Amino acid sequence: KDYLLMGVGNQLWDITATQAVLIYASPVTGFTWKGAAEGANAIYLIGGVGEKHLVHRVGVKSDGTGLDPAVVAGTLPDGEIGTSIGSYLGYVFVGTDKGARMATPSGAAGDLILGALIPTTKPVYGFEGQDRFVWVTASEVDGVPSGGGTTREVFPTDVVCGLYRADLTTFTVTESTPAYATD
């Protein structure tokens, strides 16, 4: 959206112009902003404190002269810590300490419908979209094949660094949860 934002503790600043403008200050002591991503109708931001993390949305003023205050667009389940946020093809992707979630913007305001958790063993810190896929960074991926078998037919056979690949044309438990596999 051609804006440069900066989170300082619980404060969110627009630092696009020579004079920084405070957009929003969370009333929650200890709140910290973790990341931002562009959406179709808003800028999405992840942040929180302790075990309570939220996705906020910030809209561009109708006359284009600045940004509206941040409002909550989605809430992570208690105990799921937000670590990153990204966007691709109109979807928003939220990284947490437990995995990743795809979110679908709803309505003109852009509130988010969060999909089911794509579980990882370590936090997710990034996303990259290409074609119909979104790659999800994972600092730890289990190299053992799933499916209940006892044979280890993949290399390596232990926990490794790697990626997950989500397919945006095939969905699993909800229409906001893409099919995925380690890559």
Side-chain angles (χ1 to χ4, degrees):
K1 300 280 181 239
D2 291 333
Y3 284 89
L4 183 58
L5 304 180
M6 178 176 69
V8 179
N10 69 330
Q11 298 178 337
L12 182 62
W13 294 84
D14 175 359
I15 59 171
T16 308
T18 56
Q19 181 67 36
V21 176
L22 179 65
I23 299 170
Y24 176 77
S26 172
V28 179
T29 304
F31 187 97
T32 304
W33 299 100
K34 306 273 180 89
E38 180 180 8
N41 297 323
I43 300 166
Y44 292 98
L45 304 113
I46 186 85
V49 61
E51 294 192 355
K52 186 72 172 171
H53 281 69
L54 310 164
V55 178
H56 284 77
R57 63 177 164 75
V58 174
V60 177
K61 291 183 187 240
S62 59
D63 62 4
T65 60
L67 298 172
D68 293 325
V71 296
V72 175
T75 303
L76 291 173
D78 286 351
E80 196 170 331
I81 310 301
T83 55
S84 61
I85 193 164
S87 62
Y88 184 62
L89 296 179
Y91 297 107
V92 176
F93 298 88
V94 178
T96 77
D97 65 330
K98 296 182 177 9
R101 291 179 184 273
M102 187 174 97
T104 305
S106 174
D111 287 339
L112 297 176
I113 299 169
L114 293 173
L117 181 69
I118 297 172
T120 61
T121 56
K122 296 287 183 182
V124 169
Y125 291 111
F127 303 93
E128 172 61 25
Q130 294 287 322
D131 190 28
R132 69 178 213 236
F133 300 107
V134 170
W135 277 264
V136 178
T137 63
S139 54
E140 187 173 284
V141 174
D142 189 352
V144 178
S146 59
T150 57
T151 61
R152 295 171 166 238
E153 298 177 8
V154 295
F155 181 80
T157 59
D158 214 348
V159 174
V160 295
C161 296
L163 299 168
Y164 287 84
R165 182 178 3 180
D167 185 341
L168 302 181
T169 63
T170 305
F171 297 89
T172 60
V173 293
T174 73
E175 58 188 56
S176 291
T177 307
Y180 64 93
T182 57
D183 205 21

